[in-house]
Structures are given as structure tokens and as C-alpha cells.
């Protein structure tokens, strides 16, 4: 039994570090966070921290992967619900309640920073690509299903509409990150974009 | 005469530094550029460089302001041309030839970096706001004029459509910066977004 309890304990400790580190990244941003900040916030020793994560980049990637897994799991559970494809698409964009006032991911500005400052690094670019390759089919598959069921018009390519959704969400995340909160009126913008999509999908 | 020639010479020297520094920022990005890089690339001494610009931030802001002035001047000359408001709007989004294959601003990734990494700095945030306050009316005024002339539908608020244009352009700039070039298919995306706008403006 002992090894298993130990393994669970180690996993729990790793999860705790990631959870506290997420708060640290939200507070300081990616560039201005150091492993020392994470050690101080978690109370874990230097050796303890490096046992789990070889670098700040490695730690941040672990958090990104965890977020992406949660996103995919949430999507898969949404896809099992019945209802219109339009409603499903709105839930994918806005979150479970399909309302545009859903809070933005508080880690989003740090994620932007991670990808923007590391854009000339091959590893970082590959990582951004992998993320896009997971996100795009989430949107384009729902649009395709809606087109096949006759709920949506076939006028536009499902993948291109999926790309435009990611572009718009990213543009909002960027505006919210670099301008005073609410300044770009994200709710109204999402409502207008939903209307653009409605027209393009023939709803 | 001497002082005037001198003044012209100083202005020319300042412009040369800014032009070379732009290339340095394009190559290295904002964070990874130092004043030493700029000195080496321009061949200007440390004292010479700091005579014109008190810091890297100050230098970058001067470049941003120059770009913004050029943007506004270009817009003002466009506004004097006759033609449809729709065509004018496309020129504002795509550049003079109103084609979606216009090259992205090569400094755009560094600008993103400047605003994203400095997002918790009050000065940087104020600066981003000032920039948005100049850009937004460029789009919303053309839309308003098109609505008043009857060319565009009044169905949507001109300012909201203007905001959505900035969001989409920023989203594309972000994707182009952090993903392999062309990977997000910016031309096709701009074409689709133009169709969204057409429908929203009743064209």
C-alpha cells in the first residue's frame, strides 16, 4: 500500500503547487514571476519545487496543459447534452451559461505574455500551434454538425468560421489585458459577434 | 541660418535613429532589445543616443507615435477621396489597395509585446488607451457617414462595429505573432470578416 499512498501524496502536492503558482502568475504576470516567488507562496523548498518542475517555463506549461485538458473535458461533456448546435456554440464561446458576461480567464493575460514574448522560440511556437490544433476542431466540429443537421447554412466553410471565433476571442482577451478593464466593452462586442455568426450561419 | 540647419540636422539624426531602431525592434522584439543594441546598429555614441531618447521605453514610444501619426495622416488622405464608404472601410482595414493580402506591420509583434508585458504599468496602460481612442473614431466615423448617406444599414451602432473591427485586427496580429506565419490563414479570415461586416451593414 505504501507506494500508492505516496504516489497520491506526490500528485496532490504537485497539484497544490500548480494551484498556488497559478495565483502567483495571475498576480505578477509570466515574465515578472520567478521560481523564488513560487517557493515563497507555496512554502515548498527549492529542492521540493525543482523535483516537480525543472523551470518556470516547465511549470507554466504544466498549468497550460491542465487548463487545456479541462477545456476539452468541459467541451466533451457539453457535446453530450442535447439541444441546438447554436446553443452549444454559444456555450463553447461563453461558458456553461451561454451568456456574454462570463468572466474572462484571469490567467489569460499571462498566457498572452508567455506566447508573445516567446514568439521567436521554436519550442514556444510549437506549443502555441499544438494548442491551436486542439482548440480549432472544438469549434469547427460543432459548426459542421450543425451544417449537416440543416440547422446552419452551408454558405461558409466550418473551419474558417471556427478560426474567426478564435481570432475574435483572442482579440478580446488582448484588449482586456492591455486596456483598463471593461474599456473595450467585451460584453457588447461578444453580442455583436454572435449576431455576425447568426447571419453567417443563416439563423 | 546656422541654427536652422543645425535643427534640421538634429531632426534628421533623430529620424535616422528611430528608423534603424525600428529594424532592431523587429529583429529582437521589445523585451530583448537593449539601448546597447541600438547604439551598435546606429553607430551613435551612448551620449548621442541618450541625448535624443531617455530610455528604451521612450524610444519605442516615439516610434509608436510616429506610426500613429502616419496612420492618421493616411486615413485623412483616404477620407478626401470620393467613392463608397464600404470601399473606404476596406482600405482602412487592408491598406490602400483594399486587398486582404496586404502585409502585416512587421513591428506589430513587438508592439503587442510592449503592451502585454507592460500591462500592469499605469503609464503603459494610459498609452494603450490613448492609442485606442485615436483608432476607434477612424473606423466608427466612416461607418457613421455611410449610415447617414444611406449606404449602410442603421441596424447596429457604428461605434460597436468599429470596436469589433479593432478586436478582429488585433486577434489576427496576435495569431500571426505567436504562430508560424500564415498558419491562421489571415487572408481567408479577413475575407470572411468582411462578409460578416457586409451582412451587418446591410450591403
Amino acid at each position: 500500500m505504501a507506494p500508492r499512498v505516496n504516489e497520491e501524496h506526490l500528485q496532490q502536492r504537485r497539484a497544490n503547487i500548480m494551484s498556488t503558482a497559478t495565483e502567483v502568475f495571475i498576480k505578477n504576470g509570466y515574465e515578472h514571476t520567478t521560481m523564488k516567488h513560487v517557493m515563497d507562496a507555496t512554502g515548498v523548498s527549492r529542492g521540493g519545487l525543482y523535483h516537480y518542475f525543472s523551470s518556470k517555463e516547465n511549470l507554466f506549461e504544466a498549468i497550460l496543459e491542465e487548463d487545456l485538458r479541462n477545456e476539452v473535458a468541459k467541451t466533451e461533456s457539453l457535446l453530450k447534452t442535447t439541444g441546438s448546435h447554436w446553443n452549444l456554440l454559444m456555450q463553447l464561446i461563453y461558458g456553461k451559461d451561454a451568456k456574454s458576461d462570463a468572466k474572462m480567464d484571469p490567467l489569460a493575460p499571462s498566457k498572452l505574455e508567455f506566447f508573445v514574448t516567446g514568439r521567436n522560440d521554436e519550442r514556444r511556437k510549437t506549443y502555441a500551434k499544438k494548442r491551436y490544433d486542439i482548440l480549432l476542431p472544438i469549434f469547427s466540429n460543432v459548426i459542421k454538425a450543425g451544417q449537416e443537421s440543416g440547422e446552419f447554412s452551408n454558405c461558409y466553410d466550418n473551419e474558417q468560421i471556427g478560426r474567426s471565433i478564435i481570432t475574435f476571442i483572442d482579440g478580446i482577451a488582448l484588449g482586456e489585458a492591455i486596456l483598463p478593464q471593461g474599456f473595450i466593452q467585451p460584453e457588447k462586442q461578444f453580442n455583436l459577434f454572435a449576431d455576425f455568426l447568426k447571419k453567417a450561419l443563416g439563423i
Side-chain angles (χ1 to χ4, degrees), chain A:
Chain A
M1 289 291 286
R4 187 168 150 207
V5 171
N6 230 348
E7 175 62 22
E8 272 171 22
H9 175 74
L10 289 172
Q11 284 301 323
Q12 185 54 51
R13 207 170 166 212
R14 187 175 184 272
N16 288 346
I17 293 174
M18 282 169 62
S19 165
T20 303
T22 300
E23 297 306 316
V24 177
F25 282 123
I26 289 172
K27 182 165 167 261
N28 300 340
Y30 179 73
E31 288 293 320
H32 294 151
T33 291
T34 63
M35 288 294 257
K36 179 76 168 61
H37 288 138
V38 178
M39 277 156 56
D40 290 346
T42 54
V44 173
S45 71
R46 184 176 170 84
L49 180 57
Y50 280 90
H51 172 72
Y52 294 98
F53 305 102
S54 61
S55 64
K56 178 175 79 169
E57 180 162 14
N58 180 263
L59 169 58
F60 197 77
E61 283 179 359
I63 294 171
L64 281 177
E65 273 167 26
E66 171 84 359
D67 276 10
L68 205 52
R69 265 196 303 274
N70 288 341
E71 193 74 27
V72 171
K74 208 175 67 186
T75 305
E76 278 167 359
S77 87
L78 276 176
L79 291 174
K80 282 186 197 129
T81 61
T82 50
S84 74
H85 293 93
W86 173 254
N87 200 36
L88 186 51
L89 195 59
M90 290 299 101
Q91 286 179 322
L92 289 176
I93 297 176
Y94 295 142
K96 202 124 200 165
D97 58 355
K99 288 254 181 62
S100 65
D101 57 356
K103 288 274 173 297
M104 297 286 294
D105 170 11
L107 193 60
S110 299
K111 290 179 184 171
L112 283 177
E113 204 187 330
F114 179 77
F115 288 114
V116 170
T117 56
R119 68 189 181 281
N120 293 324
D121 178 79
E122 217 37 61
R123 176 189 168 96
R124 200 75 61 89
K125 211 153 215 164
T126 305
Y127 201 84
K129 186 174 168 302
K130 182 177 140 195
R131 192 160 171 263
Y132 195 91
D133 285 336
I134 293 175
L135 281 178
L136 180 56
I138 291 179
F139 295 109
S140 59
N141 287 342
V142 171
I143 296 164
K144 192 179 177 192
Q147 287 175 328
E148 285 173 353
S149 77
E151 184 185 332
F152 296 158
S153 141
N154 280 309
C155 187
Y156 293 103
D157 179 69
N158 64 316
E159 195 183 293
Q160 284 307 325
I161 294 195
R163 285 178 193 275
S164 79
I165 293 172
I166 295 178
T167 294
F168 202 81
I169 292 175
D170 280 356
I172 293 283
L174 178 61
E176 279 289 279
I178 69 176
L179 286 155
Q181 215 193 338
F183 179 74
I184 61 160
Q185 305 185 359
E187 284 181 45
K188 286 187 186 172
Q189 288 211 47
F190 271 126
N191 285 337
L192 177 60
F193 189 69
D195 272 15
F196 288 169
L197 289 178
K198 261 189 193 165
K199 287 174 195 285
L201 294 170
I203 291 186

